[in-house]
Amino acid sequence: MRAVRQDSYGEPEVLRVVEVPRPEPLPTEILVRVKAAGINPVDWKTRAGSGVAGLLGEPPLILGWDVSGVVEAVGGGVTRFQVGDEVYGMPRFPHRGNAYAEYTTAPSRHFARKPAALDHVHAAALPLAGLTAWQALVDTADVQPGQRVLVHAAAGGVGHLAVQIAKARGAYVIGTASAAKHDFLRELGVDELIDYTSTDFGTAVREVDLVLDLIGGEYGERSVQTLRPGGLLIVVPSAPAPAAATLAEAAGVRFTGVLVEPDHAGLEQLTALVAQGRLRVEVDTVFPLAEAAQAHKLGETGRTRGKLVLTV
């Protein structure tokens, strides 16, 4: 089968299309014929040697964790799916998911049935970003109606899904984004918008119950002052944030990081929101599998809206 493999860590040019053996599903696993693979910031960070590279070991490796496709074979013990079912999921994250390929295998419970309202491109854009938002806002923060939620990078891959999930939970949502993306975010229901290029959110926003920091670094530190006493700061980027944690403790607010994990129950909740018309998946640009390097270059600009997707 064709796959995009890297034989070393480095710049986007290390990504090359090669022929590799097709995997076979072990017991409890399914073999998925990949129709589309989503791209996430962790992909290009890992390609360069950071992200979750420390968990993957040395190359060669096949990147990618967002998959939408069709079940090609099932391993022993699998009862949730049959050959021919359309599925989507986040196989094996943060370990090797091998999504940039024509086929991949993973435990069946890393997948759910593809939302009927989404094609494979949009379904492939949803799992990692959607589960990150769901596990932060629902499983960790348990966002309640009327709470004030601040989402940084609100128009990005995780951000645009997070604002919709928070709205579906009844929250008042504040988002930071460049002015060019404000109309898009208003369409998604954001109540208040901050143009980070001209306004200091640290002085413009107060009495927030939850900050979802999708940027990291000094954003988390500056976010502490926006929280009410007892509020919660969630930092998603995988790099440690000791300064933000220290400031949060001193200010009497809570702090945690999150790392998304495979979760078919969470995927099914996302599917339900899509079916209800309460969750829209935005895809910025679609690339063929062979242009994975170009996709990474675009992603690294930080200027995309929603997600990037590879078609297989």
Side-chain angles (χ1 to χ4, degrees):
M1 69 172 186
R2 290 186 310 139
V4 173
R5 189 178 70 190
Q6 62 182 92
D7 295 326
S8 63
Y9 291 115
E11 298 299 317
E13 288 73 20
V14 301
L15 300 174
R16 299 185 303 110
V17 176
V18 297
E19 290 286 334
V20 298
R22 193 181 90 167
E24 294 297 329
L26 298 173
T28 77
E29 294 184 348
I30 57 175
L31 172 68
V32 176
R33 177 160 44 92
V34 179
K35 293 289 190 177
I39 298 175
N40 298 280
V42 69
D43 296 24
W44 56 77
K45 292 175 183 177
T46 301
R47 183 213 72 230
S50 58
V52 297
L55 298 175
L56 304 184
E58 290 301 310
L61 61 90
I62 298 168
L63 287 174
W65 292 275
D66 270 339
V67 167
S68 184
V70 179
V71 176
E72 188 83 2
V74 298
V78 173
T79 59
R80 302 181 63 242
F81 301 116
Q82 297 178 346
V83 172
D85 286 345
E86 293 187 319
V87 297
Y88 79 128
M90 189 186 71
R92 304 186 190 279
F93 188 83
H95 306 287
R96 296 186 182 220
N98 301 331
Y100 293 8
E102 291 182 315
Y103 295 89
T104 192
T105 59
S108 70
R109 291 180 180 272
H110 291 189
F111 293 90
R113 295 184 185 278
K114 181 181 75 66
L118 298 182
D119 59 21
H120 284 292
V121 166
H122 288 80
L126 181 54
L128 191 147
L131 285 175
T132 298
W134 183 268
Q135 290 171 13
L137 294 170
V138 180
D139 295 342
T140 303
D142 190 23
V143 169
Q144 295 297 306
Q147 288 189 322
R148 289 166 56 84
V149 175
L150 171 60
V151 179
H152 291 309
V158 176
H160 87 288
L161 300 170
V163 298
Q164 295 175 82
I165 292 169
K167 289 300 297 181
R169 301 277 291 185
Y172 179 92
V173 177
I174 307 161
T176 63
S178 64
K181 297 174 181 176
H182 284 193
D183 286 344
F184 165 62
L185 289 168
R186 289 189 187 97
E187 293 174 10
L188 301 184
V190 177
D191 299 287
E192 186 178 334
L193 287 157
I194 305 292
D195 179 1
Y196 68 88
T197 67
S198 62
T199 303
D200 179 7
F201 71 84
T203 59
V205 181
R206 285 291 182 270
E207 293 298 310
V208 168
D209 295 282
L210 169 68
V211 176
L212 183 62
D213 174 18
L214 303 172
I215 299 175
E218 50 94 21
Y219 260 73
E221 299 162 30
R222 291 164 56 202
S223 295
V224 169
Q225 61 192 328
T226 71
L227 285 158
R228 65 165 180 78
L232 175 62
L233 169 61
I234 298 178
V235 176
V236 171
S238 53
T246 300
L247 287 172
E249 183 178 8
V253 300
R254 295 171 292 150
F255 170 90
T256 188
V258 296
L259 183 64
V260 67
E261 58 184 304
D263 175 15
H264 74 278
L267 287 172
E268 288 160 0
Q269 294 292 333
L270 296 174
T271 298
L273 288 178
V274 171
Q276 295 161 13
R278 305 175 81 181
L279 188 64
R280 162 183 164 187
V281 182
E282 182 76 4
V283 173
D284 185 286
T285 310
V286 180
F287 295 84
L289 183 67
E291 295 181 10
Q294 286 79 3
H296 275 221
K297 289 178 182 178
L298 177 58
E300 287 178 299
T301 67
R303 296 290 180 263
T304 56
R305 189 174 90 175
K307 292 290 296 292
L308 303 173
V309 176
L310 300 173
T311 52
V312 182

